[in-house]
Amino acid sequence: MSIHYTGAVGGYRDGEAVMKTAAWNDPALQGGTMVRGALWLVQEVGIGNTFTKEDIRQAFPGIAQADRRIRDLRDFGWILHTRADDASLTREQNRFVTEGVAVWNPRERRAAASAPTISSKARDDVMARDGFVCTICGIAGGEGYPDDAMLTAVLAVSSRPVRLPGGATTREFVTECKRCRAGQRERDADGALADALALPTADIDRLIQWIRQEKRDVSALERAWGRYLRLTPAARAAVRARLGA
Ligand SMILES: [Zn+2]
């Protein structure tokens, strides 16, 4: 295994400690922006303190999407709160809550990235609970996207922060399609608000519930549809015949 920190001359007796103290802005540090960002949080921001996008821009001038790389730390167990998690924050602020995997240690980072986070049995259980539909956009596995029929949805299970009633956040495994997982979602606040306001009252109440918990509920109808789409052609034919479809 090669150690990518040229400052750690003299061996790897205590690799993690050496690398955690490596200055985040040391030009000799060969980590990527996520690694530098992790060290920046630890050394400059400090646990419990807040930082803004502008702070990131100043720390990482000219580095495209440095804020995104820092958000990627969440996949390694780092907890960074936004206003959605903590109402005392402004829209610009994030709070560095907890340090996660020592990503500056290549060995730990690899172990965390390759470790199966969920067994295949548990993954199947999560998908079944969610009715084999994406909990963000509602598409069923194998269904074509309404705006791109050539593209069919592939479902995956991810660990996502979910807000509990009362405001606390927890992490939960949820079913998402790969497109939502990649974040290729519409970003149009006016359009989203207009769509929401055009809904019947009962649907607005349901939407508010989803917004509060930051998670979509899957209706019995959608669950039934998702399960139907999972069937083999012969099984689908049997279901169709019984339903008189
Ligand atoms: Zn989706």
Side-chain angles (χ1 to χ4, degrees), residues 134-139 145 153 155 176-181:
C134 172
T135 53
I136 294 174
C137 72
I139 200 160
Y145 288 94
L155 299 180
E176 293 176 356
C177 73
K178 292 203 169 165
R179 193 167 82 159
C180 287
R181 200 186 197 187

Side-chain angles (χ1 to χ4, degrees), residues 21-92:
T21 54
W24 66 275
N25 54 359
D26 182 348
L29 186 81
Q30 291 190 7
T33 306
M34 186 178 80
V35 168
R36 286 178 182 277
L39 292 170
W40 175 75
L41 286 171
V42 170
Q43 295 165 10
E44 296 290 325
V45 177
I47 286 179
N49 295 324
T50 62
F51 60 98
T52 63
K53 264 192 173 185
E54 185 54 34
D55 294 334
I56 296 174
R57 259 194 295 273
Q58 286 182 11
F60 301 92
I63 296 182
Q65 303 199 310
D67 59 318
R68 204 166 176 156
R69 297 290 80 77
I70 286 174
R71 281 203 304 272
D72 287 345
L73 287 166
R74 290 171 169 169
D75 294 338
F76 291 90
W78 291 61
I79 299 181
L80 309 172
H81 277 174
T82 65
R83 190 176 164 79
D85 310 300
D86 178 349
S88 73
L89 297 172
T90 67
R91 269 193 319 170
E92 286 73 33

Side-chain angles (χ1 to χ4, degrees), residues 2 12 30 59 105 152 233:
S2 64
Y12 190 60
Q30 291 190 7
N105 179 329
T152 52

Side-chain angles (χ1 to χ4, degrees), residues 77-135:
W78 291 61
I79 299 181
L80 309 172
H81 277 174
T82 65
R83 190 176 164 79
D85 310 300
D86 178 349
S88 73
L89 297 172
T90 67
R91 269 193 319 170
E92 286 73 33
Q93 285 178 317
N94 292 272
R95 191 187 307 283
F96 173 29
V97 179
T98 311
E99 194 182 310
V101 172
V103 292
W104 44 81
N105 179 329
R107 186 177 46 189
E108 293 216 9
R109 184 177 166 181
R110 245 195 325 270
S114 62
T117 50
I118 184 170
S119 71
S120 57
K121 161 85 172 74
R123 192 185 59 227
D124 289 351
D125 289 348
V126 169
M127 286 204 185
R129 178 202 68 195
D130 292 338
F132 304 100
V133 303
C134 172
T135 53

